[in-house]
Amino acid sequence: MNICVVGLGYIGLPTAAVFARAGFNVLGVDVNERIINLINKGKVHLEEVGLHKVVQEAVDAGKLRASLKTEEADVFIIAVPTPIHDNLNVNLQYVISAIKSIIPYVKKGNIVIVESTIPPKTIDDVIVPIFEATGWNVKEDIYLAHCPERVLPGRILVELVENTRIVGGYTPLAAYKAAEIYRKIVTGEVIETQAVTAEMSKLMENTYRDVNIALANELVKISSQLGINALEVIKLANRHPRVNIHLPGPGVGGHCLAVDPYFIIEKAQEVSPLIANARQINNSMPHFVVDHIGKIINEGAKIALFGLTYKGNIDDVRESPAIKIIELLKEKGYQLGIYDPHVTQEKVAFPLVSFEEAIASAECILVLTDHDEFKSLDERSIELNMKQPVIFDTKDCVNVISDNIIYYNYNNLFKMKPIMKEVVV
């Protein structure tokens, strides 16, 4: 059986690789020629545990190849981005373009699966009309379904196989046909349902987490004003068997949590105030972080900024709150030494430096990502090379041993005080 995967990003490439590993003949299609060339050499363009090996083996076995052009296949999987416009409404441009690109190659009896995260009723209201406009009877001629990805970066290859998959068909038969494809690679449960139900279930999974994080972030703000140890409160509250408050942070990032709730809000704005307020709270956290930086060092001082990705131990900077924090710090005139051992220079528009360069003459280390490399820092270098050894850890990940290093996290924001403030005469 031949599978064509359109979109070779963080989801598309692992998906293509896993199907190829299972013995399918897989063609990966992307608009980026550099990505195509890398994959055909058995290489990858993104950081994900185990992915390079699986891609290399699949390419060597002749089961995976990449191309700029779509070809005929038995199964088409759409795995392209669904970003948002400036007005926070979904941008379906890439999904629509991907669907249109496969239509000339679709044959009767083919299975078409959209894995891209999409707003409720996108299959019914957007994708079905595209097929019908070209003469297809979607209820009889092809099997159209939505199967959203549900994986965690850093564990994608594991969770693509082990996690439960939800397959929503435009018709019950389409759900069954698409589900049978996933049952070839998934050891977890594969559940069949309607397309709109699958669309909404994925959105609610991420919205639940976004709202929960907003609760934790709001607790941090309250605790900062009242002199309460917010992290200790969360730890103790979670000792209750039916409580699971998530961890606070500098904001929420990634293509899913920071974006998916807007897909629901767009469709039902008047009846989704909780979801909308949670988005506002999480979007406010970069400002909250920058405001607290101002409590300990002067504008114009140098900050060693550690971590650009929205999650630890990955290279994905999409929607990362660190990017917004950098913008805000630059607006206030701070000097920045930006260090992230997982991010290459080509992924960002501002210069990256080494650990040593970042801390040199800095007055504060601002930790925005919980990479393993940040859990145990070279404290001797910090003491010798920083103007003032201060760490503001928004991820509660740094283990500080030295008594000479001033350490702030979300447990003691109320103790923040000026460090090396200059007296203006």
Side-chain angles (χ1 to χ4, degrees):
M1 182 173 283
N2 298 314
I3 295 179
C4 176
V5 178
V6 181
L8 296 174
Y10 286 93
I11 300 301
L13 180 56
T15 298
V18 168
F19 274 110
R21 183 176 62 184
F24 291 88
N25 300 310
V26 182
L27 171 69
V29 178
D30 202 277
V31 297
N32 189 316
E33 188 171 0
R34 171 181 165 272
I35 291 174
I36 298 301
N37 292 334
L38 282 173
I39 293 172
N40 285 331
K41 295 176 182 176
K43 300 179 181 180
V44 298
H45 60 286
L46 48 87
E47 180 180 342
E48 179 59 40
V49 177
L51 181 60
H52 183 199
K53 180 181 179 182
V54 177
V55 168
Q56 180 72 68
E57 291 175 350
V59 170
D60 290 346
K63 290 296 182 180
L64 174 64
R65 59 191 177 90
S67 174
L68 293 169
K69 297 182 180 180
T70 306
E71 298 177 9
E72 289 186 355
D74 303 298
V75 180
F76 294 89
I77 297 176
I78 308 299
V80 296
T82 46
I84 53 176
H85 292 292
D86 291 340
N87 66 359
L88 304 181
N89 288 342
V90 65
N91 180 355
L92 289 174
Q93 168 192 346
Y94 302 112
V95 172
I96 292 171
S97 295
I99 292 295
K100 289 181 176 179
S101 75
I102 70 170
I103 283 179
Y105 304 95
V106 171
K107 306 183 301 294
K108 187 172 182 177
N110 279 175
I111 299 167
V112 179
I113 303 167
V114 178
E115 282 207 7
S116 304
T117 305
I118 48 180
K121 301 186 73 64
T122 298
I123 293 290
D124 293 63
D125 296 346
V126 178
I127 295 175
V128 167
I130 294 174
F131 277 102
E132 290 179 339
T134 57
W136 287 100
N137 183 332
V138 184
K139 289 186 176 180
E140 296 180 5
D141 295 337
I142 60 175
Y143 305 106
L144 175 63
H146 175 52
C147 181
E149 54 84 11
R150 312 171 80 203
V151 294
L152 182 70
R155 287 180 47 84
I156 291 178
L157 291 179
V158 173
E159 297 197 355
L160 278 176
V161 174
E162 296 182 357
N163 284 7
T164 296
R165 296 303 294 261
I166 299 172
V167 182
Y170 183 62
T171 65
L173 183 56
Y176 170 76
K177 289 283 189 178
E180 285 296 285
I181 298 299
Y182 286 99
R183 290 186 178 112
K184 302 293 186 181
I185 63 167
V186 173
T187 60
E189 190 175 3
V190 180
I191 301 172
E192 299 167 29
T193 186
Q194 295 176 309
V196 68
T197 305
E199 290 166 338
M200 195 64 167
S201 66
K202 168 59 187 294
L203 298 178
M204 283 308 298
E205 290 170 14
N206 289 327
T207 298
Y208 162 78
R209 295 173 63 199
D210 190 53
V211 172
N212 196 318
I213 293 169
L215 177 63
N217 283 333
E218 189 164 272
L219 169 63
V220 167
K221 291 184 174 184
I222 295 168
S223 298
S224 177
Q225 286 192 16
L226 300 182
I228 296 171
N229 299 337
L231 299 177
E232 185 70 8
V233 169
I234 293 172
K235 179 181 178 180
L236 295 177
N238 284 347
R239 296 294 294 272
H240 190 289
R242 289 178 293 281
V243 174
N244 180 28
I245 303 172
H246 290 1
L247 293 175
V252 171
H255 178 62
C256 292
L257 267 67
V259 175
D260 292 1
Y262 290 121
F263 295 0
I264 299 174
I265 296 169
E266 175 185 345
K267 292 292 186 177
Q269 186 170 1
E270 295 178 355
V271 290
S272 55
L274 176 62
I275 298 172
N277 286 336
R279 282 278 72 236
Q280 291 176 5
I281 291 168
N282 288 333
N283 284 341
S284 74
M285 291 307 291
H287 295 272
F288 180 79
V289 170
V290 171
D291 288 345
H292 280 75
I293 283 288
K295 293 183 178 182
I296 52 179
I297 61 174
N298 282 329
E299 294 180 7
K302 181 182 176 182
I303 297 171
L305 191 144
F306 281 17
L308 292 174
T309 61
Y310 75 90
K311 181 181 177 294
N313 304 319
I314 64 172
D315 67 346
D316 193 348
V317 299
R318 290 177 298 174
E319 306 297 329
S320 174
I323 307 302
K324 180 62 177 179
I325 289 171
I326 288 171
E327 294 174 0
L328 295 172
L329 290 172
K330 286 184 175 180
E331 287 176 5
K332 289 184 175 294
Y334 289 102
Q335 302 174 55
L336 301 177
I338 303 171
Y339 167 61
D340 191 313
H342 291 262
V343 176
T344 57
Q345 184 63 68
E346 64 186 13
K347 287 184 174 290
V348 292
F350 37 79
L352 303 178
V353 299
S354 65
F355 168 81
E356 292 76 14
E357 291 172 310
I359 66 172
S361 300
E363 297 184 27
C364 177
I365 294 175
L366 175 60
V367 180
L368 299 176
T369 308
D370 53 347
H371 292 318
D372 286 345
E373 289 88 343
F374 300 160
K375 293 179 180 179
S376 180
L377 299 174
D378 185 343
E379 296 186 1
R380 184 59 177 162
S381 291
I382 290 172
E383 292 174 3
L384 290 175
N385 295 293
M386 290 183 67
K387 278 190 177 181
Q388 181 70 32
V390 180
I391 297 175
F392 178 15
D393 180 5
T394 68
K395 298 296 291 185
D396 190 35
C397 69
V398 182
N399 299 309
V400 176
I401 299 174
S402 173
D403 293 333
N404 297 321
I405 298 176
I406 300 172
Y407 178 75
Y408 296 113
N409 62 10
Y410 283 170
N411 227 21
N412 63 347
L413 294 180
F414 54 89
K415 294 182 180 179
M416 280 186 163
K417 59 184 179 180
I419 306 295
M420 295 184 67
K421 291 284 187 179
E422 296 178 2
V423 178
V424 179
V425 179

